[in-house]
Amino acid sequence: MSDREKLNEARVLFDRGEYTEARKLLEEIATKDPTIRINILSALIGVLDHVSENDKLLAVANEGIEVSALAGNNTMRSYFLGKKCLFLMSNLSMMIYRQKNLILSARVFEWIGFSLERDKKEYQAIGEERKKLEEEIDLSLATVIEEVECDPDHDFRGHQFSTIGDAYSSKYLTDKLDFQEGGKFKSKIANLHVVGRWNLDRYLYGRDTRHKIDQSRDNCIKYFERSIEEFGLAGKKPEQAHSIYNLAAKMQLFNRFRRAKKLLVEARAMAESINEKRLLDKIIKL
């Protein structure tokens, strides 16, 4: 089987939801042809585990940027740059989580501070590394947005707007974790069901922080709505249905359950009309 035949077979397997088998085929291809390599790398992003294999995904995105640039394919370079933003956001989230753990006691009892000197040094080192990472994410995301706004391809715009929406939802969660303040009283309030259900936990943050978090949420919604519109203009019903489903998931994350339910019904109806089995399996399992 030639490299191109393996790639085509991997796509068939992916469409059937056989991701493990698709991945095996993709990893067997050792071609140096940039066009085929770009397609392999974009397919690998779809089959790798986005929870446990973030470092590998980041490596794939970096290679994709490099190969696309060498091939003069600016569209795919921008695509891989968008994916890289997502994977960098995962790294940022882990950094913030580690920083929070290093000052866990101090968040409840301010007089405690750091338990060990090495914890303090690690906290400071993470802070310096984090600053560089945040600057890279902001610059990359701004570049992706600028480039997609100039691209006339509705299908590509749909995919990029989905990626941008995902980036902002990650930013929403990261900011909530980053700016969360400790204390017994606030912790008890934050854990109350009614507080989360009606988004009252936002008032546990300062006004400027609330604005920043709300901005990430609103941008996430805006770009997913644009993604749905672009896939509609491109006549890409399967992608449009998936984008509607993803927006429903985001609405659930934001505790906007009424709209989430409405979007889920819409996604299911569209998926049934075109027999989009992969999406229907996801919805049925909810």
Side-chain angles (χ1 to χ4, degrees), residues 107 176 180-205 255:
R107 290 169 62 198
K176 288 195 78 171
Q180 190 178 58
E181 296 180 3
K184 292 181 179 179
F185 182 66
K186 284 187 176 180
S187 296
K188 286 181 178 179
I189 291 176
N191 288 325
L192 292 173
H193 173 72
V194 68
V195 170
R197 172 64 180 83
W198 296 102
N199 292 315
L200 299 176
D201 60 327
R202 65 191 303 275
Y203 294 105
L204 297 174
Y205 299 91
N255 294 323

Side-chain angles (χ1 to χ4, degrees), residues 99-144:
Q99 274 191 314
K100 290 293 183 181
N101 280 337
L102 287 169
I103 55 168
L104 190 60
S105 298
R107 290 169 62 198
V108 181
F109 305 104
E110 295 181 5
W111 51 270
I112 290 180
F114 293 96
S115 56
L116 296 170
E117 182 64 24
R118 71 184 182 196
D119 288 349
K120 183 178 180 180
K121 289 181 179 178
E122 183 184 353
Y123 183 89
Q124 291 171 339
I126 291 174
E128 292 175 5
E129 187 179 353
R130 177 183 158 184
K131 184 179 179 182
K132 295 176 184 176
L133 183 58
E134 287 175 328
E135 289 175 353
E136 183 178 2
I137 290 170
D138 289 344
L139 179 60
S140 297
L141 188 57
T143 301
V144 170

